[in-house]
Amino acid sequence: MKYDQLVILLPCHSLEDFPLHHEGDDAAGLLANWTAMWHPALLVSAGAPPTWCRIDDPPEELANKLILVPSVSMHEMPTGFAQRAKGDGANLIRKKLDRDEILKDALEELDGGDAGVPAELAADFLALGYCYLQVELLTRQMRYSSNLDEVYFNKQAMAAAEAAVAGDVDLAKEKLQACFDVLAEERDHYYPVDAFILDLTLVAPTTIGASLREELQKPLPINLLIGGDVVEQIAAKEPDTLAALKSAIEAGRACLVGGEAGERRLPLLSHEGVLTGLREGGALYQQHLGKQPTVYGRRRYGLTPVLPQILHGLGYVGALHATLDDGRFPEGSQIKTHWEGSDGTPIEALTRAPLDATRPETFLGYAVKMGESMDSDHVATVCFAHWPGQTSSWFEDLRRTANYSPALGKFISLEEYFRDTDVPAHTDRFEADQYRSPYLKQSVIRRIDDPISTSVRYWRRRAGVDSAQSLQTLATLVSGDAAEIDEKLAAELERSADEADGGEAGDLDARITAEVQAAAERLAASLPRSDAPPTSGCLLANPTSFPRRVGLAAPGLDALPAVEKPVYIADRHDDQAQVVVDVPPMGFAWLASGGGGDPPRDPKKTLATAEDDFCLLRNEFFEVVINRGTGTMQSIHEYKQRGNRLSQQLALRMPAPRGRAGEAWSGSDDGVYSEMAGDSVEVTVATGALGEIVSRGRLVDEKGAAVAGFTQTYRLWRGSRVVELEVELDPQVEPKADPWNSYYCLRFAWADEAAELFRGVHQSRHPLGAKRFEAPHYIEIENPKSRTAVLTGGLPYHRLVGLRMLDSLLIVRGERQRKFRLGIGIDLTHPMQDAISLITPTAAVAQQAASPQPPSSWLFHFDNKNVVATHWAPLVEEGRVAGFRVRLLETSGRTSRVGLSTFRSVAAARKLDFRGQSVADLKIEDDKIRIDLASHQWVEVEARW
């Protein structure tokens, strides 16, 4: 058979209403049928390019026609049309989805078959068919009428087909080039500048073999989204892939996109944790590939507003502000924008999620996506994502098109994209509430142990590691013993941040405790001592950059110390000294045994009392009422104001029962909560220094059945604005599978519905408006007259219920931890300091020694309390201590100028980026290093003695 005409029947009246809405097989069938007609053997047979007709008005003459009917047209095909086509001698191909099958059926009936045209050359013709369709659709998407010279285009297309059938490959490609060029000119009429295509190839340990090597041989630029740990596995297991990867990078065909050694739960990490992960990843890239990525990206969710300043400080030029995981993130006003971090530092970013390169609807609607970008974006861009070797045939058509002309866009590497395309005219600053991670739900679905307590342990261990490093730095700087700080424990902590306890990870607590104690002992041994005779005493070391009021059972004291600075109060309980001490920032306080004597016991001055209906904790700032019937924290009263500040109880939340069919939906999101039933509430410690009340009981459901047992300890030190809570639960009912709707929790309630809410995000204060959120440090309830803070102690997940209730999640399905520690702060000036202090270990060294000289002192001091130090290290050069380095974080969201005073004169100081390169020199005024910080800014400072 020789075909007289190539026809596809479509369910539309013109290209204006071309059916672009189809998905899956329908979209695949539509594209397959359209492009299959462009095989050169079919073109030569018909003597003209393909055409299309309405399915509801097919051609009357059917003899010797190739007629393709995609599945989307079948429901409108006239009854009896198939029989007429067969009877009139047409080749009717219906409902086929695969292009190769369509071509096989079409060419089998054609005299001469495929005419021996090479498959690669034939594929270029199919790509021409796809390009022609998309350029025509794009023209209409951009609200233009077609300006294409159809006569010239058809003439060149037929000349190319005839050359291909004749075996003249060079001439065929020359004519094909003319076709693609004229399509590019057609697009230039309405968009005369470059449009760009980004090919984002995802690499995982399972795709590092032949499929990746094949991808690396593609002539067009690709962008490899690959983690440092995957690069390490390639180096260990796939030397051929490693060689191909290096070659592609050197040739400019492959661009590295990545950053970290492994994709951890980034929004739940500290600044130091984020930096450690990026540095470790950079070292792996450098070691195995000789190059580090300059474009940041990750496949797992991990977006956070602190990233721009850290990435900028590490030399990154761009970032993917998108996730290929679950979770919520904001889209930018432009696809390429300046992503401004919480401190105001911008970095260029791609701010929309890539399109799936395996789905046919992606390429059916390509003209729509590109047209929308041309309409609204400063740089028209479409980005695709796929695994190596896993793309649809239409993506390959797009690649072939780009080899000939930029009619549908130019493939480009992300490095070149951020370097050479127009600078974004827009800046997008995204707030913390615009991000919501999927970690909790994913952990429950994947049956990962301890989805909540992994974060609690991480922050407690992080505080321990920071304490050890700070105290080691102090000891080095005081003694002059040039010892470098060992960062191995910190790196190990960060690598295990997402792991449940077990094996080596479970041993971390003991090792960190030992490190802190050893560092405190080294500092104690480094301090100059007075000439007085040795006495028993206790040295308290403060590893934080702010003063701490520490309440503790002091070891090594035979008798109570004198109540004078730094001792705030001293008392005794069960032959154990209870002391509240003010320890200076980055400094120490010496408690000498004796000098105070046991204070007389005055019941009116004890911090805990029991009444008939309630027990009471009180100090000089506020009082806490514990209900004896339920064991709940009934209220907190501050003496200067009336009204309850906060109430607290434990509860199991279960989803509300479904309404019966036909009932109106109530819209309630309250769920069903258990109630507390107290079995005992007793005062366990009542001294002038400490009050402690323990409540025990059950959580009961609406039928009175027990769902859990509980023990809750309330503890209040004199001089403290924080009441400590220790909770132990014994669950008897397992929560349901949805962790955001079924959980054991601490419930908090406050009176003022108009109160403003804030939370700690990466150790900084941010406004809170989201219903589900993460806050591993604190949540603050603020009104014009008061500030109440829930210090979460590392608990990451919380949920607002209504306008004045908060659930802090303790146990969800898969959680094994049963003990938790939190705090409630009243009118805290800097809640981040108290939140850090709550989880920071108390470094105490019992000694038989002379008093240090002076007995209490700071070694470093900041005159601005909203700035905290996150890391200290000595500056060691040629075997001597030349100074120190410190990283400082502004925590309150306010522009600040801080003065850093040191125990030894500083000759020079400068600000560094995170690569150790100098950014600016700092002034030294009045023996203070002056440092200007933007809100939420994190900087590194180097000072030389």
Side-chain angles (χ1 to χ4, degrees):
M1 173 187 285
K2 179 181 180 300
Y3 296 127
D4 292 339
Q5 190 179 24
L6 312 174
V7 182
I8 182 172
L9 302 183
L10 298 174
C12 58
H13 294 79
S14 70
L15 290 182
E16 300 286 349
D17 62 336
F18 191 87
L20 296 172
H21 60 279
H22 293 288
E23 299 179 353
D25 288 346
D26 287 343
L30 190 55
L31 289 173
N33 282 274
W34 179 281
T35 55
M37 298 186 299
W38 289 78
H39 191 283
L42 298 177
L43 295 177
V44 170
S45 174
T51 187
W52 69 276
C53 293
R54 289 164 47 184
I55 183 65
D56 58 357
D57 187 20
E60 293 185 5
E61 297 294 330
L62 301 180
N64 297 325
K65 285 182 170 58
L66 174 64
I67 302 176
L68 305 183
V69 184
S71 58
V72 298
S73 301
M74 288 301 299
H75 68 288
E76 294 186 34
M77 191 173 76
T79 304
F81 178 77
Q83 292 84 346
R84 181 162 70 91
K86 182 177 180 180
D88 289 355
N91 184 6
L92 179 66
I93 301 175
R94 297 178 289 170
K95 298 189 293 185
K96 294 286 186 179
L97 303 178
D98 184 81
R99 185 161 65 183
D100 291 340
E101 288 185 13
I102 296 169
L103 282 171
K104 179 182 177 184
D105 290 350
L107 294 173
E108 278 181 351
E109 297 294 322
L110 178 65
D111 296 339
D114 64 6
V117 177
E120 280 295 306
L121 182 59
D124 287 348
F125 280 86
L126 304 184
L128 177 64
Y130 177 77
C131 181
Y132 170 77
L133 173 64
Q134 293 300 322
V135 168
E136 289 294 290
L137 294 175
L138 183 59
T139 301
R140 289 156 178 81
Q141 174 71 23
M142 297 296 290
R143 301 166 299 281
Y144 277 78
S145 58
S146 178
N147 200 43
L148 181 66
D149 187 336
E150 295 279 358
V151 173
Y152 175 78
F153 176 79
N154 292 343
K155 182 179 178 180
Q156 297 302 312
M158 293 308 303
E162 290 164 2
V165 170
D168 191 341
V169 175
D170 291 339
L171 180 59
K173 288 192 172 184
E174 179 184 332
K175 296 300 181 181
L176 275 175
Q177 184 68 61
C179 292
F180 281 108
D181 286 345
V182 75
L183 290 175
E185 289 179 23
E186 163 71 353
R187 195 214 70 187
D188 285 345
H189 281 293
Y190 49 84
Y191 198 80
V193 296
D194 283 334
F196 298 99
I197 302 170
L198 299 169
D199 176 5
L200 189 64
T201 303
L202 317 179
V203 186
T206 55
T207 64
I208 59 177
S211 62
L212 179 57
R213 291 195 293 274
E214 183 179 346
E215 202 75 42
L216 291 169
Q217 300 306 314
K218 303 286 185 183
L220 294 172
I222 63 172
N223 303 282
L224 298 175
L225 184 57
I226 181 170
D229 53 344
V230 179
V231 171
E232 189 173 39
Q233 292 189 48
I234 291 175
K237 300 177 181 179
E238 294 284 347
D240 292 342
T241 302
L242 184 66
L245 179 54
K246 287 182 176 180
S247 176
I249 292 172
E250 292 171 359
R253 297 193 311 272
C255 169
L256 292 175
V257 182
E260 298 141 289
E263 295 184 344
R264 298 165 298 143
R265 297 185 296 181
L266 202 65
L268 296 180
L269 301 184
S270 66
H271 282 71
E272 293 295 336
V274 175
L275 182 60
T276 297
L278 287 167
R279 283 178 168 172
E280 282 197 335
L284 290 174
Y285 293 108
Q286 190 67 44
Q287 176 186 349
H288 299 297
L289 300 175
K291 176 182 175 62
Q292 296 186 31
T294 58
V295 178
Y296 174 80
R298 52 184 278 155
R299 183 166 56 89
R300 188 185 184 192
Y301 187 94
L303 296 173
T304 165
V306 308
L307 269 174
Q309 63 173 315
I310 300 177
L311 296 176
H312 182 270
L314 287 170
Y316 284 81
V317 299
L320 293 182
H321 185 271
T323 179
L324 303 176
D325 195 6
D326 295 328
R328 187 181 71 186
F329 65 94
E331 283 196 353
S333 56
Q334 296 273 308
I335 190 168
K336 181 187 180 184
T337 187
H338 276 122
W339 174 20
E340 189 175 282
S342 54
D343 72 321
T345 300
I347 188 170
E348 291 190 13
L350 202 69
T351 62
R352 292 180 199 153
L355 303 175
D356 189 342
T358 65
R359 300 175 68 86
E361 58 265 29
T362 298
F363 300 95
L364 178 62
Y366 177 82
V368 175
K369 292 296 185 184
M370 181 58 84
E372 290 173 348
S373 187
M374 288 176 173
D375 263 339
S376 61
D377 293 326
H378 196 61
V379 181
T381 309
V382 173
C383 181
F384 297 97
H386 62 93
W387 297 104
Q390 297 184 27
T391 59
S392 73
S393 53
W394 327 117
F395 187 66
E396 298 307 315
D397 286 352
L398 195 59
R399 279 175 165 169
R400 288 179 180 275
T401 295
N403 280 327
Y404 280 96
S405 85
L408 295 180
K410 174 185 176 182
F411 278 79
I412 189 173
S413 73
L414 275 164
E415 281 184 346
E416 185 182 357
Y417 179 78
F418 286 121
R419 183 185 67 232
D420 296 341
T421 60
D422 288 345
V423 175
H426 296 267
T427 296
D428 284 307
R429 179 166 183 150
F430 305 119
E431 301 300 328
D433 274 352
Q434 295 178 268
Y435 300 89
R436 187 169 75 195
S437 77
Y439 302 139
L440 179 61
K441 196 167 187 177
Q442 286 178 345
S443 296
V444 173
I445 291 172
R446 297 168 184 172
R447 299 184 179 182
I448 297 174
D449 289 334
D450 301 339
I452 291 176
S453 60
T454 46
S455 178
V456 177
R457 283 191 289 269
Y458 167 78
W459 282 105
R460 188 183 66 239
R461 290 167 175 170
R462 181 76 246 181
V465 167
D466 291 343
S467 297
Q469 291 180 336
S470 298
L471 295 175
Q472 287 283 9
T473 299
L474 287 180
T476 297
L477 296 178
V478 171
S479 67
D481 181 12
E484 297 279 3
I485 300 300
D486 188 356
E487 300 280 359
K488 292 181 181 177
L489 192 59
E492 185 178 337
L493 161 67
E494 296 302 334
R495 284 192 291 270
S496 66
D498 290 358
E499 298 176 7
D501 263 356
E504 293 183 3
D507 183 47
L508 270 176
D509 285 330
R511 293 164 58 198
I512 291 172
T513 299
E515 287 281 340
V516 172
Q517 190 62 29
E521 291 174 357
R522 184 175 170 227
L523 173 61
S526 303
L527 296 174
R529 300 283 174 162
S530 69
D531 296 331
T535 60
S536 62
C538 176
L539 184 88
L540 299 183
N542 182 3
T544 69
S545 58
F546 48 85
R548 295 178 67 194
R549 179 163 286 179
V550 178
L552 78 161
L557 298 184
D558 299 327
L560 294 180
V563 180
E564 57 187 21
K565 289 185 177 181
V567 178
Y568 185 81
I569 188 72
D571 207 335
R572 187 176 295 280
H573 176 73
D574 291 342
D575 295 328
Q576 190 173 50
Q578 294 176 339
V579 185
V580 177
V581 187
D582 292 324
V583 190
M586 287 297 284
F588 59 91
W590 172 255
L591 303 181
S593 181
D598 288 350
R601 184 65 63 204
D602 184 352
K604 294 181 180 180
K605 293 184 178 181
T606 60
L607 271 64
T609 58
E611 305 293 340
D612 292 339
D613 297 327
F614 57 85
C615 289
L616 196 66
L617 288 175
R618 62 159 67 91
N619 66 7
E620 59 268 53
F621 301 120
F622 57 87
E623 64 181 18
V624 183
V625 180
I626 312 299
N627 189 296
R628 301 197 76 163
T630 61
T632 63
M633 189 181 76
Q634 182 174 305
S635 60
I636 298 179
H637 299 282
E638 198 261 335
Y639 302 131
K640 296 179 182 180
Q641 297 181 38
R642 292 184 177 182
N644 178 19
R645 294 285 288 271
L646 195 71
S647 298
Q648 172 269 326
Q649 63 177 330
L650 294 165
L652 167 66
R653 174 192 166 109
M654 297 295 270
R658 292 180 178 271
R660 290 179 295 181
E663 288 184 345
W665 179 57
S666 66
S668 172
D669 191 33
D670 289 343
V672 177
Y673 288 89
S674 66
E675 296 182 355
M676 290 176 69
D679 293 332
S680 69
V681 178
E682 58 181 335
V683 174
T684 52
V685 178
T687 69
L690 174 65
E692 182 181 272
I693 296 173
V694 178
S695 67
R696 295 179 176 86
R698 294 153 290 117
L699 303 184
V700 296
D701 62 18
E702 67 274 10
K703 297 180 181 179
V707 298
F710 73 83
T711 300
Q712 186 160 261
T713 302
Y714 305 90
R715 187 175 295 117
L716 181 63
W717 290 91
R718 185 171 296 280
S720 174
R721 288 188 173 273
V722 176
V723 56
E724 301 172 13
L725 278 70
E726 290 183 2
V727 176
E728 183 174 357
L729 281 170
D730 179 20
Q732 299 169 24
V733 173
E734 184 179 43
K736 301 293 185 181
D738 182 357
W740 283 110
N741 282 306
S742 182
Y743 47 75
Y744 289 92
C745 68
L746 274 167
R747 299 206 80 196
F748 299 94
W750 55 95
D752 186 2
E753 293 184 353
E756 291 186 272
L757 302 181
F758 298 87
R759 61 172 166 141
V761 178
H762 288 290
Q763 301 151 282
S764 294
R765 187 175 191 253
H766 291 260
L768 169 59
K771 294 297 182 184
R772 302 176 184 180
F773 60 94
E774 294 155 347
H777 280 97
Y778 71 90
I779 301 139
E780 189 173 38
I781 305 149
E782 181 179 329
N783 60 39
K785 295 183 179 180
S786 65
R787 298 171 66 178
T788 307
V790 177
L791 310 181
T792 58
L795 286 172
Y797 303 115
H798 312 271
R799 175 176 179 161
L800 291 175
V801 180
L803 297 176
R804 54 183 190 86
M805 290 188 184
L806 168 72
D807 292 355
S808 291
L809 279 60
L810 299 177
I811 297 175
V812 296
R813 182 171 290 189
E815 179 57 55
R816 300 175 298 175
Q817 183 64 29
R818 297 296 182 259
K819 295 180 179 181
F820 306 90
R821 182 168 180 257
L822 300 89
I824 299 173
I826 302 300
D827 294 331
L828 303 179
T829 307
H830 301 284
M832 182 54 68
Q833 294 184 0
D834 292 274
I836 294 172
S837 188
L838 182 70
I839 58 176
T840 298
T842 300
V845 180
Q847 289 185 311
Q848 187 73 24
S851 169
Q853 189 63 35
S856 176
S857 178
W858 57 260
L859 299 174
F860 292 95
H861 180 271
F862 296 95
D863 61 10
N864 196 321
K865 303 304 181 187
N866 57 316
V867 175
V868 300
T870 63
H871 183 269
W872 296 86
L875 182 62
V876 178
E877 295 177 344
E878 298 179 354
R880 68 180 185 87
V881 179
F884 64 91
R885 284 181 176 175
V886 59
R887 287 193 280 270
L888 306 177
L889 174 65
E890 197 290 313
T891 64
S892 296
R894 301 195 305 266
T895 301
S896 304
R897 192 173 201 215
V898 60
L900 170 55
S901 301
T902 64
F903 72 97
R904 183 175 170 183
S905 295
V906 171
R910 58 179 181 156
K911 188 183 295 185
L912 307 176
D913 65 16
F914 297 127
R915 294 172 291 175
Q917 297 179 2
S918 182
V919 174
D921 291 332
L922 298 173
K923 292 182 179 180
I924 301 173
E925 300 174 351
D926 301 326
D927 293 329
K928 294 181 179 180
I929 304 171
R930 294 295 180 183
I931 309 153
D932 292 321
L933 294 175
S935 63
H936 308 298
Q937 189 176 6
W938 190 43
V939 301
E940 184 161 352
V941 172
E942 179 185 273
R944 294 178 176 273
W945 301 135

